[in-house]
Amino acid sequence: MSLAFQSALEFSAAADAGLDEALIVDLDGFEGPLDVLLALARAQKVDLLKLSVTRLAEQYLAFVREARRRRFALAADYLVMAAWLAYLKSRLLLPKPAAGGDGELTAEDEAGRLAFRIAKLDAMRRAAEALEARPILRRDVFPRGDPEAARIVSRRPFEGDLYELMSAYVAQRRRREERLYRPPSPVTLRLDEAREHLRELLPALTRWTALSGVAPARRAEGPSRASCLASTLAAGLELVREGALEARQLVAFEEVYLRGRKASGHKAAA
Amino acid sequence: MSPPVFAVERMVEALLFAAAEPLSAADLAERLPAGAEVAQALAALKARYAGRGVELVCVADRWRLQTAEDLAFLMTQERVEPRRLGRAARETLAIVAYHQPVTRAEIDAIRGVQANRGTLDQLLELGLVRMRGRRRSPGRPVTFGTTDAFLEHYGLASLADLPGAAEMKAAGLLSLDLPEGFEFTPGAGAEAEEDPLEEEAEFHVDYLEGEGEE
Amino acid sequence: MSPPVFAVERMVEALLFAAAEPLSAADLAERLPAGAEVAQALAALKARYAGRGVELVCVADRWRLQTAEDLAFLMTQERVEPRRLGRAARETLAIVAYHQPVTRAEIDAIRGVQANRGTLDQLLELGLVRMRGRRRSPGRPVTFGTTDAFLEHYGLASLADLPGAAEMKAAGLLSLDLPEGFEFTPGAGAEAEEDPLEEEAEFHVDYLEGEGEE
């Protein structure tokens, strides 16, 4: 599995350019509609929680239109967001319905929720940057290069977390599965069963009868038809050798016919 | 009779210097003569090293000596170019750090994308993130949090020292859903809803869930 | 213009601290800004560390920071504890966790190797695994299970919290190509076929464990 991380975006550049070329060209750099909305919202240069959602909706719709005009294949979630924003915008512009309270969120609530999500993503993005700006071990700050001894270790019982435990479990189970792979052996009609079956039929086999008619019919969970035929043929040949049966085949690959041998057959059966 | 402060300070200095990794106050106390005032010695030592080429810092509730940040430019030979996390991984790590305990679905919701499976797994593998428990909500999803290695890597004494966390909390930005009518209530994390799992009864139910989910 | 002595002293301090081996004055000069008075800085640093828990010494023309000789007694007392379980131990622990109660022979059968005797003993010694009882089968082999310390270490409220197949899949550990037969129901199996180790005492212990899950 390849981890195709998207290259970092230069947001300030996009913001300076307002909503134009920069954003459109960078479509591939965005991680979905919320990401685009954040970039647009940053361009408004206001507290993200006090953002004008109608303006944001317009900008986003323009962005999507432009992107489509340039024949970018737009993912469905971009279009879903566009449709939802168009709807939200229209609701924000309409006069408020007299009574709410039927559980449905007001347009203002929806707008607030969207602004919150954008502000939250923004906060997390800044947090990620702030973390990277910390003095990072072995990048900015360095521990003792030559500790005197592994003897002075912190008393943590040992390391290892659930993930490690799970990995260990799966790793060995997987190895075991590989080692123990055993394809199920097919169910076959046993030769002695086939013999028994033929012996029972023998008295009735006074005329040449096709092997396919002699072989036992397939039962639900039983051996396959091919196995029944093969075992019956093998058993039949044994009986031929013992003189209880005759077999013949007129053309290669055609049906085999069996017939009981009069006197000797009955003798053998008895 | 407890040993004099300067003697303890010397010992703490020597131990921290020799140690291969950060030591907690308890680790130190264990190796020092009975009655040694570890906290006091640490404070004195921290003051003594302030502004020097080597400094005493607290990471993940443990103490370590490390080179001063502004001298990083000298350390060309010691620097190991760490595997840089991609943007998605950095964001995911930040979300886990600031929202823990947090579920996979919540991370995705904040990022606004169906996360690449590998992102969180990469962090798990690097030991920066760990599984913490299960959320008491339908499906009982696993929750994630950060590790001590995370704190040590970023030189943080504790999660309370996450940059900007207090401000974000005050602004209500760390709650998972829109705070009621923008009346931001700091500290409205999901902690309360995490499952301490005392009930024995859940034992069996859980396995059934685990099996049935495939 | 040469940098001030104080600044050079800090740099030398940081370099010596972070270096993996003693550095000569020439080594230091090479890594310091041009014109730095290395000898002067070394002398100042030596004076500063005199009598401290850490001292600056010169051996064979190379400089190093080291712990004061009289504090050597602090450095030797600690016995080395295994910090990471080896692969065999991790796997054995995982099997005990997911299959308890389980016998030595069963562990070997699952791992597909004759286990090193020491592996299970190490886990017993670490207090992660305990003897649980005896299997009601020929030879009455001892069965093993995990301890409360195990739960505590992994942050599990109870065995029911062990991640199941769904989580393994979510973590990308289990892929779809695994055979159907990959199933496990931790603790479900042989419970009934087990006798307590010491009939009476164990009975109570088990009961208490069931109730008092932390």
Side-chain angles (χ1 to χ4, degrees):
Chain A
M1 182 172 51
S2 74
L3 302 174
F5 291 122
Q6 269 133 349
S7 55
L9 277 179
E10 195 43 73
F11 274 102
S12 55
D16 291 343
L19 137 85
D20 327 293
E21 300 303 305
L23 275 186
I24 305 272
V25 174
D26 272 346
L27 180 61
D28 282 342
F30 284 106
E31 283 194 271
L34 198 63
D35 201 5
V36 172
L37 283 169
L38 173 57
L40 292 168
R42 280 181 171 179
Q44 284 193 20
K45 292 190 172 127
V46 292
D47 180 346
L48 287 182
L49 287 175
K50 299 191 178 83
L51 172 90
S52 162
V53 170
T54 39
R55 206 174 129 205
L56 189 64
E58 271 159 27
Q59 290 177 329
Y60 182 82
L61 293 173
F63 163 77
V64 166
R65 257 197 312 278
E66 184 64 12
R68 299 188 82 183
R69 196 178 64 75
R70 300 203 178 195
R71 270 170 287 175
F72 276 112
L74 270 190
D77 47 352
Y78 282 90
L79 300 176
V80 169
M81 178 62 88
W84 183 79
L85 278 174
Y87 169 69
L88 179 63
K89 196 184 108 187
S90 67
R91 279 181 66 200
L92 283 167
L93 295 178
L94 284 173
K96 280 177 208 166
D102 54 352
E104 203 192 335
L105 289 169
T106 65
E108 282 71 22
D109 285 344
E110 295 272 24
R113 195 171 287 268
L114 177 65
F116 175 73
R117 286 189 68 193
I118 292 171
K120 195 166 176 57
L121 180 61
D122 182 58
M124 284 303 107
R125 203 155 275 171
R126 286 182 199 288
E129 286 161 16
L131 280 176
E132 280 310 301
R134 300 261 331 151
I136 289 179
L137 191 64
R138 292 194 176 81
R139 187 191 74 183
D140 306 312
V141 296
F142 298 84
R144 174 97 192 276
D146 181 26
E148 252 146 64
R151 283 194 296 258
I152 310 292
V153 295
S154 183
R155 192 177 268 287
R156 281 173 273 192
F158 65 91
E159 283 158 7
D161 63 358
L162 270 181
Y163 181 74
E164 196 181 88
L165 190 72
M166 277 161 60
S167 313
Y169 186 74
V170 172
Q172 51 86 10
R173 288 302 301 260
R174 197 188 287 270
R175 276 207 308 281
R176 177 165 175 256
E177 293 299 346
E178 280 160 11
R179 210 168 45 240
L180 288 187
Y181 176 67
R182 226 183 268 132
S185 50
V187 185
T188 53
L189 178 65
R190 293 213 319 276
L191 218 51
D192 55 333
E193 286 180 62
R195 244 180 105 96
E196 192 70 21
H197 176 75
L198 265 184
R199 285 250 179 237
E200 278 168 24
L201 283 182
L202 210 49
L205 285 178
T206 49
R207 299 210 239 149
W208 288 112
T209 312
L211 176 64
S212 53
V214 174
R218 194 180 170 207
R219 283 157 294 158
E221 302 255 304
S224 68
R225 179 72 185 151
S227 168
C228 288
L229 282 176
S231 296
T232 307
L233 176 62
L237 292 177
E238 277 185 27
L239 291 183
V240 167
R241 197 182 59 204
E242 290 166 15
L245 203 64
E246 289 177 301
R248 74 173 183 188
Q249 184 182 35
L250 298 177
V251 185
F253 302 113
E254 288 293 303
E255 186 67 89
V256 174
Y257 291 89
L258 302 174
R259 184 172 69 176
R261 253 172 121 172
K262 290 147 233 154
S264 56
H266 291 290
K267 210 184 287 167
Chain B
M1 196 195 77
S2 53
V5 177
F6 86 89
V8 177
E9 195 191 315
R10 278 188 80 223
M11 292 181 201
V12 169
E13 184 180 24
L15 282 169
L16 288 173
F17 178 81
E21 58 181 4
L23 299 178
S24 67
D27 293 328
L28 291 165
E30 202 173 278
R31 292 179 181 78
L32 294 171
E37 294 278 359
V38 179
Q40 207 179 332
L42 281 167
L45 205 58
K46 189 173 165 64
R48 183 182 294 274
Y49 273 103
R52 307 283 318 148
V54 172
E55 290 175 345
L56 181 59
V57 297
C58 178
V59 290
D61 269 337
R62 295 182 161 78
W63 296 83
R64 79 170 172 222
L65 289 165
Q66 64 182 34
T67 59
E69 197 185 338
D70 64 310
L71 298 179
F73 72 97
L74 285 176
M75 304 298 162
T76 47
Q77 283 180 23
E78 286 77 18
R79 181 166 303 124
V80 281
E81 224 25 85
R83 186 151 69 122
R84 246 186 105 66
L85 294 174
R87 190 180 92 171
R90 286 203 309 276
E91 261 176 48
T92 302
L93 182 59
I95 291 168
V96 172
Y98 286 77
H99 290 84
Q100 56 192 305
V102 66
T103 68
R104 243 177 230 273
E106 287 160 357
I107 296 169
D108 288 359
I110 293 171
R111 298 197 62 232
V113 288
Q114 198 74 0
N116 184 335
R117 266 262 122 90
T119 311
L120 194 52
D121 303 334
Q122 189 195 8
L123 297 172
L124 282 164
E125 229 161 84
L126 286 171
L128 296 171
V129 163
R130 67 191 167 94
M131 296 185 185
R132 278 184 54 147
R134 287 170 190 276
R135 179 65 50 76
R136 190 179 287 176
S137 65
R140 297 172 47 72
V142 169
T143 58
F144 297 89
T146 52
T147 60
D148 279 358
F150 164 82
L151 293 175
E152 282 175 29
H153 182 73
Y154 289 103
L156 296 163
S158 73
L159 288 175
D161 294 320
L162 282 171
E167 293 89 324
M168 287 183 206
K169 211 169 202 180
L173 286 171
L174 294 188
S175 65
L176 285 170
D177 205 354
L178 176 66
E180 278 291 312
F182 282 78
E183 283 167 16
F184 298 130
T185 45
E191 195 91 41
E193 278 161 42
E194 213 190 356
D195 205 342
L197 260 180
E198 279 115 356
E199 297 94 321
E200 259 290 284
E202 306 228 45
F203 192 101
H204 298 289
V205 175
D206 226 51
Y207 288 120
L208 292 176
E209 274 176 13
E211 298 280 297
E213 262 167 49
E214 272 126 287
Chain C
M1 195 195 76
S2 56
V5 177
F6 170 77
V8 178
E9 193 192 318
R10 283 185 77 224
M11 293 179 197
V12 169
E13 185 180 24
L15 282 170
L16 288 174
F17 177 83
E21 51 187 15
L23 299 176
S24 68
D27 293 335
L28 288 165
E30 201 172 279
R31 297 178 63 176
L32 291 169
E37 293 281 0
V38 179
Q40 207 177 333
L42 280 167
L45 203 60
K46 191 172 165 65
R48 185 183 294 272
Y49 273 105
R52 305 288 317 150
V54 173
E55 289 175 347
L56 180 61
V57 296
C58 179
V59 181
D61 272 342
R62 287 168 185 277
W63 295 83
R64 58 181 282 198
L65 290 164
Q66 63 181 36
T67 51
E69 242 167 79
D70 65 312
L71 297 178
F73 74 96
L74 286 174
M75 308 298 151
T76 48
Q77 63 188 18
E78 194 55 26
R79 77 192 159 110
V80 185
E81 290 189 36
R83 296 299 308 285
R84 279 190 90 73
L85 295 174
R87 192 180 87 170
R90 281 204 309 274
E91 287 182 8
T92 303
L93 181 59
I95 291 166
V96 173
Y98 280 103
H99 291 267
Q100 59 191 301
V102 65
T103 68
R104 232 180 240 276
E106 287 161 354
I107 295 171
D108 289 357
I110 292 172
R111 293 199 62 226
V113 288
Q114 196 73 4
N116 182 338
R117 264 228 116 75
T119 312
L120 199 51
D121 298 339
Q122 188 195 0
L123 296 172
L124 284 164
E125 205 171 293
L126 283 169
L128 295 170
V129 163
R130 67 189 168 97
M131 296 186 195
R132 279 183 53 141
R134 287 184 181 278
R135 178 66 50 78
R136 245 175 249 153
S137 67
R140 297 177 45 74
V142 170
T143 58
F144 297 89
T146 53
T147 62
D148 284 352
F150 165 84
L151 292 178
E152 205 174 297
H153 176 79
Y154 286 100
L156 296 167
S158 74
L159 283 177
D161 271 357
L162 272 177
E167 277 93 37
M168 292 183 181
K169 218 164 246 178
L173 291 171
L174 277 186
S175 51
L176 298 170
D177 63 353
L178 220 60
E180 291 274 321
F182 188 87
E183 270 174 23
F184 52 93
T185 44
E191 194 97 39
E193 289 149 34
E194 195 183 39
D195 285 328
L197 270 182
E198 291 120 358
E199 303 279 359
E200 304 215 298
E202 189 74 358
F203 189 84
H204 292 294
V205 172
D206 265 350
Y207 183 71
L208 289 175
E209 265 173 12
E211 295 286 292
E213 212 76 76
E214 269 135 278

